[in-house]
Amino acid sequence: MEVAVHEPIQPLPHQITAQVAAQAAPHMAAQGSRWQTPLLTGISIAGLLSSGWLLFDLQRSARTLERERNVALVERLRATEKAIPPTPEPETVDRLEPLTLPIQSLPMPPIGLTPSESKPISPLPVLTGVMQSPGGRSSAIFQINNASVSAEIGESLGSSGWTLASVGASSAVIRSNGQERTLSVGGVF
């Protein structure tokens, strides 16, 4: 019998590595996915939380900036308001106080005139007070021959022949026979 003795064939080192790697690959993949999944999940959650925090902080900053702008605008408006003097409101008279003034007598016509040349002189009313009110309901008080007469615009002044045309702050315009006179409180202009 012939026996052949051979020495066992030693595999090459790179062949062993390849075989071990091929056998260990499924085991390593399973082991790698075990720690990669929680790691990726943790990174995603951290990203979502930081994005939410950044969005919240952005909105808070925008609100703070808007408040600061509003405060600055209010301060500018207040400074402008102080710089512009307020317009006075027109005064309205609720009650007229009587005003007593001496009545001046009118001059007599010159003596050389005949009665046909002279016109009868109607006494010129003396304005003693005015009352202006909104809506055109203004009126005035006149003194005629020691009597007080009150009239609204368009009304005649007693039996004097004069009619009240308009009323101003301290004056009145009267008309008679095409003549127009402007009177001020206490006398004639």
Side-chain angles (χ1 to χ4, degrees), residues 85-140:
T87 41
E89 293 189 22
E91 294 182 25
T92 57
V93 178
D94 294 333
R95 182 170 168 237
L96 292 177
E97 295 293 328
L99 178 65
T100 307
L101 299 173
I103 299 176
Q104 300 171 354
S105 60
L106 297 173
M108 296 299 290
I111 297 179
L113 295 176
T114 62
S116 62
E117 294 175 358
S118 67
K119 292 183 181 176
I121 299 174
S122 64
L124 188 63
V126 175
L127 182 63
T128 58
V130 295
M131 184 174 82
Q132 288 185 310
S133 65
R137 302 273 309 163
S138 301
S139 62

Side-chain angles (χ1 to χ4, degrees), residues 26-177:
H27 181 65
M28 293 282 284
Q31 207 175 32
S33 67
R34 276 189 241 160
W35 66 268
Q36 286 178 346
T37 304
L39 177 68
L40 291 176
T41 304
I43 290 173
S44 331
I45 291 173
L48 285 174
L49 289 175
S50 63
S51 296
W53 177 79
L54 286 173
L55 182 63
F56 172 76
D57 194 43
L58 176 68
Q59 290 174 344
R60 185 176 49 112
S61 297
R63 284 191 304 266
T64 303
L65 183 60
E66 184 68 26
R67 270 187 252 135
E68 288 174 2
R69 284 182 187 157
N70 288 342
V71 167
L73 179 62
V74 167
E75 288 174 0
R76 273 188 268 149
L77 288 175
R78 284 184 182 157
T80 304
E81 186 178 86
K82 290 177 185 176
I84 299 173
T87 41
E89 293 189 22
E91 294 182 25
T92 57
V93 178
D94 294 333
R95 182 170 168 237
L96 292 177
E97 295 293 328
L99 178 65
T100 307
L101 299 173
I103 299 176
Q104 300 171 354
S105 60
L106 297 173
M108 296 299 290
I111 297 179
L113 295 176
T114 62
S116 62
E117 294 175 358
S118 67
K119 292 183 181 176
I121 299 174
S122 64
L124 188 63
V126 175
L127 182 63
T128 58
V130 295
M131 184 174 82
Q132 288 185 310
S133 65
R137 302 273 309 163
S138 301
S139 62
I141 299 175
F142 298 91
Q143 189 79 29
I144 305 172
N145 295 332
N146 294 329
S148 291
V149 177
S150 176
E152 290 184 357
I153 296 175
E155 291 182 348
S156 62
L157 308 178
S159 60
S160 68
W162 293 97
T163 304
L164 180 60
S166 65
V167 175
S170 63
S171 65
V173 177
I174 57 174
R175 291 189 185 122
S176 176
N177 297 326

